[in-house]
Amino acid sequence: MNPYVPLKTRLEVERLRQAAEALERVLADLATVIKPGVQTVDLEQVARLALTRHGLNGVLEGYEGYPHPICTSVNNVAVHGRPSNYELQPGDLITVDVSAERSGWRADSAWTYGVGKIGSEGRRLQRAAWRATLAGAAAARAGGRLGDIGAAILDESRRAGCRVVREFTGHGIGTSLHEPPTVPHSATRGTGEPIVPGMVLNIEPVLTLGSGEVAKLDDGWSYITADGSLSAQYEVTVSVRSDRTDILTLGRHRPVLNRSTPPYG
Ligand code: MF3
Ligand code: CO
């Protein structure tokens, strides 16, 4: 195995869990304010307050020069959309991605929200993104290989007639936001590094209704789908132990954690 993957003790996992569950509350708070007419820059302010309320420090602002505490990726924006004066419209799909820390331990999560009532295609994509992420999490088992995660995501995505954006990968997380290993979201079963107890992995596939090709915008950050198709993304953190895998970022939403329903109203 790659010797540079920092494996976590049970105590370290509990610290990561604290940060992850607090971040989940931030994402749940955002769900209550995402409505038609709200500007994405308003969500930035709500996120700042929610991070503080839940005992977290945002870590995206200044990360590699990124100038906001959250990413707000609307419709055809695949990832890293910047908050702006864009007013959310009924039927939009918006992904909010936020990274934070508590006592040095990082949390990083994203949810896709529907604005008002979304169309059937958007709903299909959103559900597929959720199910693909959960399938990836379920495949992150000690004794398996990293490619198992990507294969599970790919299967679930294909089943729903969606595509996975290949170039966006997951990552380890701990006292740094991005740690080894790189987690493929599109891969072949049985390939890649072994998955071992102590790994804490972020799984965050981006799905689209179109080709899965993306292009970078000249704001320096946003990636859009090349064909203008809708995209959606969930990001979860899993802790791999010898006998079980836990989703650290879905502690509170376990009651609604089933294979078809994403975690919001
Ligand atoms: N959640 C994102 C990730 O996992 C954080 C990076 S956003 C950036 O990579 F815009 F700051 F790059
Ligand atoms: Co991430």
Side-chain angles (χ1 to χ4, degrees):
M1 190 191 66
N2 180 338
Y4 299 107
V5 173
L7 301 177
K8 276 73 180 185
T9 65
R10 284 181 187 277
L11 180 60
E12 289 171 333
V13 170
E14 289 316 306
R15 291 182 176 140
L16 283 162
R17 190 195 303 276
Q18 294 295 316
E21 290 190 0
L23 189 63
E24 180 187 8
R25 288 179 196 137
V26 172
L27 289 167
D29 285 356
L30 283 163
T32 67
V33 297
I34 291 175
K35 294 187 170 60
V38 169
Q39 296 183 348
T40 52
V41 74
D42 300 331
L43 301 180
E44 170 171 308
Q45 191 53 25
V46 171
R48 278 186 211 285
L49 293 170
L51 284 163
T52 304
R53 184 180 323 121
H54 299 300
L56 293 167
N57 298 306
V59 299
L60 279 191
E61 204 161 0
Y63 182 82
E64 292 182 2
Y66 184 71
H68 308 275
I70 59 174
C71 300
T72 52
S73 304
V74 181
N75 294 337
N76 63 320
V77 180
V79 293
H80 301 173
R82 294 180 54 179
S84 72
N85 60 5
Y86 174 77
E87 264 187 24
L88 294 173
Q89 308 291 313
D92 281 350
L93 275 187
I94 176 173
T95 302
V96 179
D97 188 342
V98 54
S99 312
E101 65 92 22
R102 180 186 281 180
S103 305
W105 294 94
R106 263 56 175 179
D108 182 18
S109 190
W111 289 1
T112 294
Y113 309 81
V115 180
K117 191 168 160 43
I118 61 174
S120 60
E121 288 294 271
R123 188 71 182 152
R124 170 166 70 89
L125 173 68
Q126 187 185 27
R127 280 175 183 247
W130 169 247
R131 293 172 65 128
T133 304
L134 287 191
R141 298 213 152 269
R145 289 182 176 265
L146 289 174
D148 300 351
I149 300 172
I153 289 167
L154 207 51
D155 284 351
E156 200 63 46
S157 173
R158 283 192 177 135
R159 192 165 299 146
C162 300
R163 291 266 171 83
V164 178
V165 180
R166 300 185 78 98
E167 47 265 78
F168 302 138
T169 55
H171 52 92
I173 189 167
T175 53
S176 299
L177 181 58
H178 295 129
E179 294 183 354
T182 295
V183 178
H185 292 140
S186 178
T188 304
R189 241 172 226 102
T191 65
E193 295 289 325
I195 299 171
V196 300
M199 281 183 166
V200 177
L201 305 173
N202 266 34
I203 297 172
E204 48 176 317
V206 177
L207 269 65
T208 86
L209 290 176
S211 70
E213 305 297 316
V214 290
K216 197 170 186 176
L217 279 189
D218 53 15
D219 67 5
W221 290 100
S222 314
Y223 285 83
I224 56 169
T225 56
D227 55 11
S229 60
L230 281 179
S231 72
Q233 179 187 27
Y234 290 86
E235 177 171 20
V236 297
T237 301
V238 298
S239 158
V240 179
R241 308 309 303 182
S242 58
D243 57 339
R244 58 182 291 146
T245 294
D246 287 338
I247 304 183
L248 302 184
T249 43
L250 292 173
R252 299 204 4 132
H253 285 276
R254 198 164 289 128
V256 292
L257 200 169
N258 66 52
R259 288 178 57 74
S260 65
T261 313
Y264 54 86

